[in-house]
Each structure stands twice: as C-alpha cells, then as structure tokens.
Amino acid sequence: YFAGASNPQLRAYSLRWFDGLVAVLSAHVDEVRARALAVYVDGAFVHAMLHDAPLDRDELQAAIAGLLR
C-alpha cells in the first residue's frame, strides 16, 4: 500500500485502498469524518510499521473518538 507513494505503477492501487476505506467508513459517518478517520488509520499503520509495534489501544480509541465528534 505505501509503495504507491513512491512507485507510480502502484499509486492507483494505493488510492483505491484509501477511497475504499472512506467508502466503508462513510456508511457509518459523514464523508468528512470518514476521510479524517482514513487519514488517521493510514498514519497509525505507518507508525506501527516504523516502530514494530501497534499503537496503544486506549490511545487509538481516544483519537478515533475525537475524530468522530
């Protein structure tokens, strides 16, 4: 997924992933919140990969709750 940021041949797949995530989330929240959540999830994935560990569950829940307000 993240290879699409530097590889033009993969960019369409990366964008499709993001757009698909927004579409799934939009079934539950408005599109603005869905996009904010998708951006946050992308960042959380990058953080987890760089640090070889997931973010703390309570921190994730607090951040997501804040985005949903």
Side-chain angles (χ1 to χ4, degrees):
Y1 168 70
F2 296 106
S6 60
N7 184 335
Q9 293 177 321
L10 298 176
R11 188 172 304 271
Y13 296 108
S14 297
L15 292 172
R16 190 175 343 165
W17 160 262
F18 181 82
D19 292 343
L21 180 56
V22 171
V24 168
L25 294 169
S26 291
H28 305 282
V29 297
D30 63 76
E31 189 170 344
V32 171
R33 285 183 175 86
R35 286 192 171 284
L37 286 167
V39 168
Y40 180 76
V41 168
D42 281 353
F45 282 146
V46 171
H47 184 277
M49 288 188 309
L50 289 173
H51 294 273
D52 294 324
L55 291 170
D56 178 75
R57 175 180 253 176
D58 291 336
E59 290 177 13
L60 285 169
Q61 288 177 334
I64 291 168
L67 290 169
L68 291 173
R69 288 188 201 137

